[in-house]
Amino acid sequence: MSTNISNFKTAAVLGAGVMGSQIAAHLANAGLTVWLLDMPANEGNKNAIVQQAFSKMLKMKPSPVVSDSVAGRIFTGNFDDDIQVLAKADWIIEVIVEQMDAKKSLMARVEEYANPGAVISSNTSGLPINEIAADCSEGFRKRFLGTHFFNPPRYLKLLELIPTPDTDPAVTDRVARFGRIHLGKGIVKAKDTPNFIANRVGTYSMMLTFGFLQKGYSIEEIDLLTGPLTGRPKSATFRTADVVGLDTLTYVSKNLYKAIPDDPDRDVFRVPDLLLKLVEQKALGAKTGRGFYFKDGKVIKSLNPGTFAYEPPKEMDLGDLSSIKKNSLSKRWEILFGEEGRAGDFIREHTTRMIAYAMNRIPEISDYPRDVDLAIQWGFGWQMGPFAVCDAIGPVRFSQEAGKLGLELPLWFRKMLADGDYFFFKKKENGALMHYVPGSGYQQAEVHSDEISLASVKSSGKDKEVWSNPEAALIDAGDGVLIYEFRSKANTLGFNVINGVFEALEFVEKGDWRGLVIANDGENFSVGANLGELAQAGLAGQFDLIEKAVHNFQKAALAIRYAQKPVVNAIRGRVLGGGVELTMGAASVVASTETYMGLVELGVGLIPAGSGTMTMVARAGEVAPTQHPSHIQPFLQKVFETIAMAKVATSGQQAIDLGYLTKEQTRIAMNDARRIYIAKEEVIRLSNQSYIAPPVRHRVFVPGKPGFAPLQNAAWQMQQAGWISEYDAYLATRLAHVMCGGELLGPEYVHEDYLIDLEREVFLSLLGEEKTRARIESILKTNKPLRN
């Protein structure tokens, strides 16, 4: 068969349930044409089942699709009338009910209709992959494997690939490459064992906690100790169970218990009576409104396992853990493992048993401790997998605790310690990661050259930092490209960061450099201006300083746009307020799919004044079909509503739809780990093409007073509909004042500086408003917006 590693263009997803419909959505997110098929309805419209599932998927929150246009790439059908579309598909994914007979029967039909070169996979999480296609031909089995997506497929990074002994390695490589680059997945190759890697170890960790309920720990105490404090998601253990569904957790545990008769820790997967009773009472978690937690009005109550009553939060008996939170995650683990009292007792026993279980599953589920860690990190959202946690605690210390608990540890681990190898992970002087492989010792970890971070750039050699101030730095990324990195808290844009922009641009333009990438390793590119600095200056009556800072910000945003060498922003996470404005002017933008972008200044009682209002007005005129006022007004109306309602894009793709980014300017990185690499390549590409900065905007259309009334009316309608408050409506009219050109009596073309001065003037006037000051104070004190 062909061994090409070409991209997939078309796919068929068989089964439109919760997972199937979302997998179809994510394939469409990546640009594929997708057929979503399911059983025909018994009567009436034969596509009723699949269409209902498709409609339900589109209403999910958070959304499985990155923009409204994605839905148009998905076509629905049924197994009776539309099975022939399999001949058009490059990749066919089976996601039907977890019953072996049903899957084998469907595979027979797939073999009959599928394109001879198509890749076939099953998304089962609990059935043997090899058995599903066992009755098919040898040629079919060569292109068949397991592809285990995690729910929700758009947001969870893990994709476990499970090749069978018959799977052609080229097929596995093709899916791995496509999954990593185009679906944004972290790929882990798992063995064909019950529940593979992540669910085997992750479910063990969850089920292990039930035993601690019998030891007197409350649900809330366990969630505190298995949540962000230890590098786990906020949902921790029991909130996660509620989200997953207690019926689903019960199903998974029962199946695992049956499938692993030789596992010494099998009894941990035995479903406890508490869980069985909750399922019997239809207390299934989020889907039924109650599970381990129940929201009673505004109070979130937790289950008392003894009485089955839901009780308000109680004071926890875990000692003072507040000081521990200030440490790095590795240090937290080290401290918590030695804590006295109930918190330390839980951490020592639960963590030791969890690590020991993961160790004893090697080589059963995987040959590599690192792959186990990656699977848990990407599938369950842990910041550190069990082997990295063991390193933080200290493998010798862990071994001693395991001895106290009477746990048997594998021979390979005991040999590792005997050989003087005391850590699973270590780094070479050049920053290369080495990981321990049982039976082979340390090996250099696989590194994808197109996945880089600032941390990896800085650790790759000496003298990478060529300039810095207290909150920013310039990093030499090689190939004549520099990276400007924010280092402020939450990557806010204060005096040091903005002044650093000018210094970075001057450094690039005066030196022998191709251009500049603006990026950082933070979860969020930037949450906007440093409101604390503004508030402090305001309290001190330093309004001249504020005016100078705002003007400086505006000049920085324009300096990026008019730089003589290309500036490319690599963004992800929250990109708010000033973060948007510093990005709008970039020659190119590489946006992670998970980019949440918005001009949200009205939420703190202000308007965008870092050139953001001007830029959005200018773009409205640039995209209008003609320069006639009646043709431009609808585009201005859309801009007005976007800013007035502080709309935030829910993806990089939607940021284009809302006008924060342009199609011509933007590259989407489905795999977030590739965004800095792509940005660097963009700088090189633009430099090689003899980059020329765009011209200054001398003619920005504004409608004057005639255009103000429609925007003012739109603000009034939004207020009447309850979408915005009275003060929001006032702020919207001030925004409209700027967008229409201030006091101009009629339509005119103005220089960009005219609008920039106007937006700064209104911004400064709003800082004097009492309600604006209250909004800023609320954000600074509570991190919550005040809708006064």
Side-chain angles (χ1 to χ4, degrees):
M1 64 168 290
S2 171
T3 58
N4 74 75
I5 54 171
S6 60
N7 293 333
F8 296 107
K9 295 181 180 179
T10 55
V13 178
L14 311 181
V18 172
M19 278 302 290
S21 59
Q22 289 189 85
I23 290 172
H26 197 54
L27 293 172
N29 287 339
L32 275 67
T33 297
V34 184
W35 289 278
L36 178 63
L37 308 183
D38 209 315
M39 296 288 291
N42 291 328
E43 55 186 32
N45 179 7
K46 294 182 75 174
N47 285 339
I49 293 173
V50 67
Q51 288 174 355
Q52 183 179 8
F54 180 65
S55 298
K56 187 176 180 181
M57 178 273 290
L58 291 177
K59 295 174 184 176
M60 286 181 176
K61 301 293 180 184
S63 177
V65 298
V66 296
S67 70
D68 293 342
S69 61
V70 167
R73 291 198 282 269
I74 303 174
F75 300 89
T76 56
N78 66 79
F79 293 154
D80 281 0
D81 298 333
D82 305 293
I83 196 74
Q84 69 276 1
V85 301
L86 298 188
K88 303 177 183 179
D90 301 322
W91 185 5
I92 300 167
I93 307 177
E94 171 273 307
V95 203
I96 65 169
V97 63
E98 291 285 272
Q99 294 175 2
M100 183 58 76
D101 288 345
K103 290 181 183 292
K104 295 183 83 163
S105 175
L106 183 57
M107 280 302 128
R109 297 193 69 193
V110 170
E111 182 167 21
E112 181 181 354
Y113 288 96
N115 183 316
V119 171
I120 320 293
S121 68
S122 172
N123 188 64
T124 181
S125 59
L127 297 177
I129 297 294
N130 187 51
E131 190 176 337
I132 293 172
D135 297 337
C136 296
S137 67
E138 180 183 356
F140 185 93
R141 296 198 305 273
K142 282 185 176 181
R143 50 199 175 96
F144 176 80
L145 74 164
T147 50
H148 185 212
F149 290 81
F150 274 63
N151 189 19
R154 172 183 163 185
Y155 298 97
L156 282 183
K157 187 170 181 176
L158 180 62
L159 173 57
E160 290 178 317
L161 300 187
I162 311 96
T164 74
D166 295 322
T167 307
D168 185 331
V171 168
T172 306
D173 291 345
R174 183 183 180 191
V175 176
R177 181 182 182 278
F178 186 85
R180 185 179 71 83
I181 293 176
H182 298 280
L183 299 180
K185 296 302 176 186
I187 305 297
V188 172
K189 294 178 184 177
K191 296 187 178 183
D192 193 2
T193 56
N195 284 63
F196 314 125
I197 298 175
N199 276 345
R200 182 76 172 272
V201 177
T203 304
Y204 176 87
S205 179
M206 290 183 70
M207 298 304 292
L208 192 61
T209 59
F210 283 92
F212 289 89
L213 292 174
Q214 297 172 357
K215 296 181 180 182
Y217 288 89
S218 71
I219 283 170
E220 288 169 316
E221 285 176 332
I222 292 173
D223 271 1
L224 176 65
L225 294 172
T226 59
L229 177 67
T230 49
R232 315 280 172 79
K234 290 181 181 179
S235 54
T237 297
F238 292 107
R239 289 185 194 279
T240 295
D242 276 356
V243 171
V244 169
L246 305 194
D247 52 342
T248 301
L249 181 59
T250 299
Y251 173 82
V252 170
S253 299
K254 281 183 176 179
N255 279 358
L256 255 175
Y257 183 80
K258 292 176 184 176
I260 51 173
D262 299 324
D263 188 331
D265 288 288
R266 181 190 189 204
D267 279 346
V268 171
F269 296 100
R270 190 188 296 274
V271 182
D273 292 340
L274 168 64
L275 191 52
L276 290 172
K277 188 169 181 180
L278 287 170
V279 172
E280 183 183 325
Q281 294 176 350
K282 303 297 182 185
L284 306 181
K287 66 180 76 174
T288 58
R290 64 180 64 212
F292 290 110
Y293 289 94
F294 166 60
K295 189 173 183 180
D296 187 2
K298 294 185 177 180
V299 179
I300 298 177
K301 298 180 177 179
S302 61
L303 183 76
N304 182 322
T307 64
F308 275 80
Y310 290 95
E311 300 175 349
K314 296 179 180 177
E315 187 173 345
M316 300 186 204
D317 181 22
L318 297 175
D320 183 10
L321 303 177
S322 57
S323 61
I324 297 176
K325 296 177 183 178
K326 300 175 183 177
N327 294 281
S328 68
L329 182 54
S330 291
K331 189 66 176 177
R332 268 181 263 162
W333 274 111
E334 182 185 344
I335 296 170
L336 285 166
F337 203 77
E339 273 287 289
E340 296 182 359
R342 296 175 73 248
D345 290 344
F346 175 90
I347 290 292
R348 276 186 296 279
E349 182 176 352
H350 181 271
T351 305
T352 302
R353 290 186 182 278
M354 182 267 295
I355 295 172
Y357 187 75
M359 281 184 182
N360 282 308
R361 300 285 68 75
I362 289 176
E364 178 194 348
I365 61 176
S366 174
D367 294 326
Y368 306 105
R370 180 172 182 259
D371 279 2
V372 174
D373 271 15
L374 290 175
I376 286 291
Q377 287 172 239
W378 292 336
F380 279 74
W382 295 12
Q383 292 179 41
M384 293 171 66
F387 294 100
V389 170
C390 188
D391 276 358
I393 292 166
V396 173
R397 194 176 174 203
F398 155 78
S399 181
Q400 292 167 347
E401 190 63 32
K404 293 176 185 177
L405 293 172
L407 300 177
E408 185 72 25
L409 299 179
L411 177 62
W412 65 261
F413 175 68
R414 301 200 302 272
K415 184 178 184 301
M416 171 184 158
L417 295 185
D419 290 344
D421 296 324
Y422 294 135
F423 296 98
F424 287 99
F425 304 99
K426 61 183 182 180
K427 286 193 174 183
K428 287 183 174 181
E429 288 184 7
N430 66 356
L433 178 68
M434 306 296 290
H435 66 114
Y436 187 83
V437 179
S440 302
Y442 287 101
Q443 295 181 3
Q444 186 164 324
E446 179 186 17
V447 176
H448 296 290
S449 60
D450 62 349
E451 294 185 11
I452 62 175
S453 65
L454 278 171
S456 67
V457 171
K458 287 182 279 190
S459 65
S460 64
K462 295 180 180 179
D463 303 321
K464 288 294 181 180
E465 188 173 294
V466 299
W467 170 92
S468 69
N469 72 22
E471 293 185 329
L474 267 178
I475 313 298
D476 182 356
D479 299 315
V481 178
L482 287 172
I483 300 177
Y484 181 62
E485 175 191 21
F486 306 160
R487 294 175 174 174
S488 54
K489 185 177 180 181
N491 291 323
T492 53
L493 305 172
F495 301 140
N496 284 322
V497 173
I498 296 305
N499 288 334
V501 169
F502 295 110
E503 297 202 46
L505 291 173
E506 183 179 6
F507 196 99
V508 169
E509 293 190 349
K510 286 187 175 180
D512 188 20
W513 304 98
R514 289 176 177 269
L516 182 70
V517 171
I518 299 180
N520 55 64
D521 282 342
E523 289 185 14
N524 302 307
F525 176 75
S526 177
V527 297
N530 189 325
L531 291 176
E533 286 183 350
L534 281 178
Q536 190 174 4
L539 288 172
Q542 298 174 314
F543 293 102
D544 287 347
L545 181 63
I546 295 175
E547 197 276 341
K548 182 179 178 182
V550 175
H551 198 190
N552 211 38
F553 195 111
Q554 293 174 323
K555 289 191 290 185
L558 291 180
I560 289 171
R561 173 176 167 83
Y562 299 124
Q564 294 307 300
K565 292 182 180 177
V567 178
V568 178
N569 284 25
I571 62 176
R572 71 168 172 183
R574 288 189 292 172
V575 185
L576 304 178
V580 177
E581 293 170 309
L582 279 193
T583 299
M584 283 176 160
S588 182
V589 177
V590 180
S592 167
T593 289
E594 301 313 321
T595 296
Y596 312 114
M597 196 172 198
L599 290 170
V600 296
E601 284 85 350
L602 269 76
V604 290
L606 300 167
I607 68 164
S611 78
T613 301
M614 179 278 293
T615 300
M616 293 291 275
V617 170
R619 286 181 177 176
E622 290 163 1
V623 299
T626 76
Q627 289 300 291
H628 193 279
S630 64
H631 289 166
I632 297 176
Q633 188 69 33
F635 292 91
L636 280 174
Q637 187 91 12
K638 180 183 176 183
V639 165
F640 175 73
E641 291 174 2
T642 296
I643 301 175
M645 296 179 68
K647 291 182 179 179
V648 176
T650 57
S651 68
Q653 289 88 334
Q654 196 184 58
I656 297 172
D657 297 340
L658 291 178
Y660 296 133
L661 300 174
T662 69
K663 282 185 179 180
E664 298 76 19
Q665 169 194 40
T666 310
R667 308 289 178 270
I668 298 296
M670 290 291 283
N671 184 339
D672 177 70
R674 300 182 70 241
R675 78 188 188 288
I676 294 177
Y677 166 82
I678 297 171
K680 179 183 172 184
E681 292 295 304
E682 273 290 282
V683 168
I684 295 171
R685 178 185 70 83
L686 291 167
S687 175
N688 287 340
Q689 293 177 353
S690 302
Y691 175 76
I692 299 176
V696 172
R697 290 178 170 117
H698 290 280
R699 290 171 56 81
V700 179
F701 176 86
V702 290
K705 289 291 184 182
F708 180 79
L711 301 186
Q712 185 182 40
N713 183 57
W716 181 83
Q717 289 180 344
M718 286 188 279
Q719 182 190 345
Q720 294 302 304
W723 294 343
I724 62 175
S725 69
E726 183 179 354
Y727 190 59
D728 288 326
Y730 167 72
L731 294 170
T733 61
R734 301 301 292 145
L735 170 68
H737 172 78
V738 176
M739 290 181 61
C740 294
E743 299 300 327
L744 297 177
L745 296 179
E748 286 193 31
Y749 289 98
V750 299
H751 192 283
E752 62 181 26
D753 288 346
Y754 176 86
L755 282 180
I756 285 173
D757 291 343
L758 198 55
E759 68 179 29
R760 186 173 69 254
E761 176 189 312
V762 171
F763 180 94
L764 293 169
S765 72
L766 290 173
L767 279 174
E769 297 279 356
E770 183 178 337
K771 288 187 175 182
T772 288
R773 291 197 298 269
R775 288 190 176 197
I776 293 174
E777 183 179 358
S778 175
I779 286 289
L780 291 174
K781 287 186 175 179
T782 68
N783 200 32
K784 294 180 180 178
L786 174 67
R787 304 314 295 262
N788 53 0

